[in-house]
Amino acid sequence: MKKLAIIGASYLQEPLIQKAKQKGIETHVFAWAAGDVGEKSADFFYPISIVEKDEILAKCREIGIDGICTIASDLAVITVNYVANALGLIANSMEATIKSTNKHEMRKCFEEHGDPSPKSFLVETAADLEGKDISYPVIVKPLDRSGSRGITKLESPEGLAEAIENAKAEGFDKHALVEEFAEGDEYSVEYISWRGKHTFLALTKKYTTGAPHFIETGHVQPADVTEAVLAQVKAYASHALDSLGIEFGASHIELKIDKDGNIKLIEIGGRMGGDLIGSALVELSTGFDFVGAVIDIALGKAPEIVHTIGSYCAVRFIFNKEDVETYEAFAKKHPKALVEADIREVTEGEVTDSGKRFGYYLIATKNQDEFINCLTEILNKV
């Protein structure tokens, strides 16, 4: 039986654990013990923090793993590639890992290779911006976090020092990035790569709360863009993956497209997109087993890229009690369009990042008009 190491035990990794089990693969899961779902569902669980690379490496060597992977976590990607490279398993290089998990190194790489992205400055304090040619509005963010953690949009220098400190507090590298704000609608692109060949899977339209934190409220696949725009997106995305040196596995490219069709790359993760984009929406919209392909690649097997006619699909997240009421009304009226739901009790307090939302529900239909009607009803509170 093949042995697969999985870094992380939260709900984000549960699709990976379950898919491996379906494939008859023995799962060895590593994470700080916190009562997460993966601690119980894994065949073997090791209470080791995902940042303890050498301790995990030693254990994986002892186990004799055949592959190692993660989904939807930039932090876990570092450990995955560190261990895989040390054991001679399939992985992206550590140079590519640094470029795809440290946003400052990513910006430098984009600039060097001519990939379009916002102007960006590495800072420790607001004083580091003195004399810099930067225009407002700006986005202040940590170097090494995802899930909208520590992100603030500023229309002027007012509040800059506080925003920088907030970003530093959320990150592991105690610097922050101050970037010029890219205008336009938000999208993400999902790819799978094998030996440097990149295959486009899906374009996702992303919806957020907007300023100041830009927390995702929902995602839709496939995104409704023209063939010309999609071709340009693919060209930029695949070129940027080459720039970063990503050769294997899933990748998640976030970008913006303005009203004139100009594209700006926001960031790229050498891993599957979170928020159910990779683990659910891609398979619903394309029929491609994305999670299974991630496992195959980790075990040294080229993925079989097969697309079928999929569904129009979306995920909607829960922020408050009104969202729960909307979900309940929708589920009652359109039970066949509801794929799954995971909704927790809504408590008081502001949702300041994606980890503080109160659940989600997935919808999918084969008919585009029916899908549009469903989305319209949700936005109009059914």
Side-chain angles (χ1 to χ4, degrees):
M1 179 181 286
K2 294 285 187 180
K3 298 177 181 179
L4 180 70
I6 295 172
I7 305 303
S10 76
Y11 72 96
L12 293 171
Q13 307 306 322
E14 185 63 9
L16 196 56
I17 297 169
Q18 294 303 325
K19 181 65 69 173
K21 287 188 166 188
Q22 290 172 20
K23 286 173 166 282
I25 298 165
E26 190 174 273
T27 54
H28 296 260
V29 172
F30 296 81
W32 187 261
D36 285 325
V37 61
E39 297 177 26
K40 301 177 181 64
S41 61
D43 294 311
F44 298 92
F45 174 69
Y46 308 90
I48 305 172
S49 169
I50 66 173
V51 301
E52 299 294 338
K53 302 191 297 291
D54 289 307
E55 192 173 345
I56 292 175
L57 170 60
K59 193 66 182 178
C60 286
R61 185 175 277 124
E62 176 188 323
I63 296 164
I65 63 168
D66 298 289
I68 181 170
C69 57
T70 192
I71 54 177
S73 170
D74 287 331
L75 189 60
V77 163
I78 299 171
T79 296
V80 165
N81 291 337
Y82 178 82
V83 171
N85 276 282
L87 296 180
L89 300 170
I90 289 293
N92 289 309
S93 70
M94 291 311 296
E95 181 182 2
T97 303
I98 292 169
K99 290 176 181 177
S100 61
T101 58
N102 182 299
K103 294 178 177 61
H104 177 56
E105 295 299 325
M106 189 183 301
R107 285 283 179 264
K108 286 168 55 180
C109 180
F110 287 164
E111 184 175 358
E112 178 183 346
H113 290 88
D115 299 298
S117 66
K119 185 186 292 186
S120 177
F121 297 93
L122 179 70
V123 301
E124 190 172 2
T125 69
D128 293 335
L129 282 178
E130 291 181 7
K132 303 291 186 183
D133 180 21
I134 187 166
S135 302
Y136 286 83
V138 299
I139 290 286
V140 183
K141 63 174 70 171
L143 268 67
D144 48 16
R145 295 293 275 170
S146 57
S148 303
R149 295 175 182 88
I151 291 179
T152 306
K153 180 185 179 185
L154 298 174
E155 299 291 341
S156 72
E158 184 178 354
L160 180 61
E162 181 182 356
I164 290 172
E165 291 304 315
N166 180 50
K168 287 164 57 179
E170 287 287 344
F172 294 92
D173 185 309
K174 297 308 174 184
H175 290 79
L177 283 185
V178 179
E179 299 184 346
E180 291 184 348
F181 181 71
E183 299 290 346
D185 292 331
E186 294 191 39
Y187 297 85
S188 69
V189 198
E190 309 307 309
Y191 267 80
I192 193 82
S193 300
W194 175 254
R195 300 197 184 282
K197 180 183 178 182
H198 313 300
T199 301
F200 167 82
L201 298 176
L203 180 66
T204 308
K205 178 73 173 69
K206 301 166 69 70
Y207 296 87
T208 76
T209 57
H213 302 302
F214 298 92
I215 306 161
E216 285 87 351
T217 58
H219 307 296
V220 173
Q221 273 188 20
D224 185 16
V225 299
T226 66
E227 287 297 323
V229 168
L230 182 58
Q232 190 68 67
V233 165
K234 291 178 181 179
Y236 281 149
S238 59
H239 185 274
L241 289 172
D242 285 339
S243 298
L244 293 174
I246 292 175
E247 296 183 284
F248 295 101
S251 53
H252 176 68
I253 301 108
E254 296 185 349
L255 53 85
K256 282 191 172 184
I257 305 175
D258 70 15
K259 58 182 177 59
D260 297 318
N262 298 307
I263 298 170
K264 285 289 181 72
L265 299 170
I266 305 303
E267 57 192 59
I268 294 178
R271 43 82 178 172
M272 185 180 289
D275 268 1
L276 292 103
I277 293 173
S279 60
L281 295 185
V282 168
E283 187 164 4
L284 284 170
S285 71
T286 69
F288 175 67
D289 184 359
F290 198 9
V291 177
V294 168
I295 294 172
D296 287 344
I297 289 172
L299 295 174
K301 179 183 176 183
E304 185 179 356
I305 311 295
V306 178
H307 285 197
T308 60
I309 298 174
S311 300
Y312 298 91
C313 56
V315 59
R316 178 76 172 179
F317 296 100
I318 304 296
F319 282 71
N320 50 49
K321 292 180 180 179
E322 185 180 13
D323 289 342
V324 176
E325 292 170 357
T326 300
Y327 157 72
E328 291 173 344
F330 179 85
K332 184 176 181 179
K333 188 174 181 181
H334 300 284
K336 291 183 179 180
L338 189 65
V339 177
E340 68 176 54
D342 182 6
I343 298 173
R344 303 184 302 277
E345 180 183 0
V346 176
T347 58
E348 297 298 325
E350 182 185 4
V351 176
T352 55
D353 62 59
S354 61
K356 294 182 173 64
R357 296 171 305 196
F358 298 100
Y360 68 88
Y361 53 104
L362 276 166
I363 67 170
T365 71
K366 292 290 185 180
N367 181 276
Q368 186 177 28
D369 290 338
E370 181 185 355
F371 179 69
I372 292 171
N373 180 59
C374 287
L375 287 184
T376 302
E377 288 191 9
I378 289 171
L379 294 174
N380 291 333
K381 311 301 181 185
V382 189

